[in-house]
Amino acid sequence: EVLTKALSTAQLIIEYLLKLQNALHKEIEENREDGERYKSELENYVLDNQLFKEENEKLKRELRQKRKALATYEYVLNAHGNNSAKELIGFGKKNALMKEKNGSCVCATCG
């Protein structure tokens, strides 16, 4: 009778350990899947961040270019104060005060 109880207890312990092992394997698999999902999300965030950096650099370049153009317009307005701003807006026309040269604006009168 003692041997039967000992075997029964051993069987219960083994069943418990097997269930615990299965639960741990399931948790490990869930954690692995979560890790893969987080890794994929991180890669997407890194890619998005790179795209935002590139867009930011592009916008900074455009801003610098527009600031240069604005400074040129202000200079020409100050240098040729008697001429109207409408003549400056005629950019590209023969009689305009502003001409495009190498991607930037220059005064057609004084260069």
Side-chain angles (χ1 to χ4, degrees):
E1 182 176 313
V2 173
L3 183 59
T4 308
K5 284 185 178 183
L7 289 174
S8 176
T9 303
Q11 182 180 1
L12 288 173
I13 290 172
I14 290 171
E15 287 177 6
Y16 170 77
L17 290 174
L18 287 172
K19 285 185 179 186
L20 185 62
Q21 182 182 20
N22 287 338
L24 288 173
H25 281 295
K26 182 179 177 183
E27 187 174 338
I28 288 170
E29 185 59 32
E30 289 172 355
N31 288 340
R32 184 176 294 126
E33 290 171 359
D34 287 344
E36 290 173 5
R37 188 180 75 238
Y38 294 142
K39 181 181 177 183
S40 175
E41 287 178 10
L42 177 62
E43 290 170 353
N44 288 337
Y45 289 140
V46 168
L47 181 61
D48 288 346
N49 188 39
Q50 183 62 33
L51 293 174
F52 288 138
K53 280 183 179 180
E54 291 171 4
E55 180 68 17
N56 189 31
E57 290 301 316
K58 177 184 172 190
L59 291 172
K60 283 181 181 180
R61 284 190 303 272
E62 289 178 9
L63 180 61
R64 280 192 298 270
Q65 184 181 14
K66 293 198 185 284
R67 282 183 177 163
K68 285 180 183 179
L70 179 61
T72 304
Y73 286 132
E74 289 174 345
Y75 170 76
V76 171
L77 281 173
N78 289 331
H80 304 287
N82 58 346
N83 294 318
S84 70
K86 289 181 181 179
E87 292 175 349
L88 293 175
I89 296 172
F91 188 74
K93 295 180 182 176
K94 286 185 178 180
N95 58 354
L97 290 176
M98 300 297 292
K99 300 287 183 187
E100 187 171 1
K101 182 177 182 180
N102 298 330
S104 62
C105 302
V106 295
C107 177
T109 305
C110 59

